[in-house]
Amino acid sequence: MTEEPLDPVSTELESQLRRLETIADPASRGIATDLLAAVLQFHTAALGRMLEMIEKSEAGAAILAGFDGDPLVRSVLLVHDLHPDSFATRVRRALADLEPLLKKREATAELLSAEGGLVRLRIRGGQSNRGPLAPAVEQAIRAAAPEAVQVIVEESTLAGFVSLDVLRNSSSAASSGITPVEQTTAESLSNRQSAIGNR
């Protein structure tokens, strides 16, 4: 399913909540806030019973999996603290979904902890010339577990990664009897002389 229906609904909800915060009269704002809380409690109770009925049905597991696959339904379940999967389970699933990307980048991700809204993980490997993996990992975790308060990623790239250009230069230098350091120094002096000559 696409996430298109989620955007206008969430945008409207956020807009109305901002309007609620701008009510000048404290008494009126309090009444409106209490009414909103009562409606949420009512919906939570009703949704909780619906989930209990679904869990007892033969197709319960498939239906709940479908709920998790729908961004709008998943968001509602999370708002009411009714998502059938735990916080840690959803974080682990997000990391599992990232496996293709991690393998492509020659990296691995180890979940250190996921509790109390705090996620700690460690990324090992990865090609440093293709940028950090942490932003993509954090985005995936927050999408699966938006109640995450903080995502701490320890990232260490492959220290031994050498670009193809460096390998070619080293090979060329070795065949000519010039060490890589000597070649680099010669190239640097040549570049400086060219720059002086162009002034």
Side-chain angles (χ1 to χ4, degrees):
M1 295 183 181
T2 63
E3 298 191 13
E4 294 179 358
L6 178 61
D7 294 335
V9 172
S10 60
T11 300
E12 176 63 19
L13 178 59
E14 291 175 0
S15 174
Q16 295 301 326
L17 288 174
R18 283 195 295 269
R19 289 185 60 190
L20 175 62
E21 295 173 354
T22 61
I23 296 177
D25 180 38
S28 298
R29 186 170 63 252
I31 293 173
T33 301
D34 291 342
L35 175 60
L36 177 60
V39 171
L40 287 175
Q41 291 177 359
F42 175 75
H43 287 170
T44 299
L47 288 170
R49 292 189 181 183
M50 291 170 61
L51 289 176
E52 290 177 358
M53 295 177 186
I54 292 172
E55 289 174 352
K56 295 177 181 178
S57 66
E58 294 182 358
I63 295 174
L64 292 177
F67 286 170
D68 185 63
D70 186 295
L72 182 57
V73 176
R74 182 174 63 244
S75 297
V76 171
L77 294 178
L78 290 171
V79 166
H80 294 278
D81 196 23
L82 291 172
H83 198 286
D85 294 331
S86 67
F87 176 72
T89 297
R90 284 179 278 120
V91 171
R92 285 193 292 268
R93 183 184 300 132
L95 291 178
D97 292 340
L98 285 171
E99 276 299 314
L101 172 62
L102 294 172
K103 287 183 178 179
K104 186 177 181 181
R105 296 281 296 274
E106 301 178 5
T108 60
E110 176 188 2
L111 180 62
L112 302 177
S113 63
E115 56 184 357
L118 174 63
V119 178
R120 297 179 63 93
L121 57 96
R122 179 182 296 117
I123 299 177
R124 288 190 175 92
Q127 299 171 358
S128 59
N129 65 327
R130 299 185 63 180
L133 282 164
V137 172
E138 180 175 355
Q139 182 179 4
I141 290 176
R142 291 192 179 280
E147 71 270 37
V149 177
Q150 188 176 14
V151 179
I152 301 175
V153 181
E154 301 174 11
E155 187 171 11
S156 60
T157 56
L158 289 173
F161 178 77
V162 182
S163 68
L164 184 58
D165 289 337
V166 172
L167 290 175
R168 285 173 176 169
N169 290 338
S170 298
S171 176
S172 175
S175 63
S176 61
I178 303 175
T179 66
V181 174
E182 291 172 339
Q183 183 178 14
T184 301
T185 303
E187 290 176 351
S188 177
L189 291 174
S190 177
N191 292 335
R192 290 181 181 178
Q193 291 174 353
S194 297
I196 294 173
N198 292 331
R199 290 180 180 176

